[in-house]
Amino acid sequence: MGIVKMSEISITAFNSHLKKSDLDCLYVFFGPESYFHDSFVAGLESKIFSDPSSKDFNFHIYYGTEASLSEILNTFKLLAGFAPVNFITDT
């Protein structure tokens, strides 16, 4: 899918991408509208975690300034366990 600005993709188009494509290695969602962020993240979660128990090992959520950049970068280095990828989000 390449680099696409949030303003250039709708929720419908993103969900279509998830159904038709393999996952890209990185998605970045930003902007003032949290509804779109939450919708895109929910779509990714449902595709990645077909087995809910794998979410326990591979879903990492950080809240704004509560985590340091080094902590988030170290999470990127983790190997996924029981799922194809690690899912990291910062809200």
Side-chain angles (χ1 to χ4, degrees):
M1 186 168 207
I3 297 174
V4 177
K5 294 180 184 175
M6 284 283 283
S7 61
E8 296 177 358
I9 190 167
S10 67
I11 293 171
T12 305
F14 185 73
N15 287 335
S16 176
H17 163 73
L18 290 178
K19 289 178 185 172
K20 295 178 185 176
S21 305
D22 290 332
L23 293 174
D24 291 323
C25 65
L26 177 68
Y27 293 91
V28 177
F29 307 116
F30 62 93
E33 186 57 59
S34 64
Y35 171 77
F36 292 110
H37 175 270
D38 295 343
S39 296
F40 292 154
V41 168
L44 284 168
E45 278 185 67
S46 65
K47 177 150 183 162
I48 294 170
F49 300 114
S50 56
D51 176 9
S53 65
S54 66
K55 188 175 177 181
D56 294 339
F57 299 102
N58 300 296
F59 184 79
H60 310 276
I61 187 166
Y62 296 101
Y63 297 97
T65 59
E66 292 180 11
S68 67
L69 180 58
S70 64
E71 183 179 0
I72 295 170
L73 291 175
N74 284 334
T75 304
F76 274 104
K77 297 175 186 175
L78 292 175
L79 295 176
F82 309 109
V85 297
N86 274 315
F87 189 92
I88 304 165
T89 183
D90 181 21
T91 60

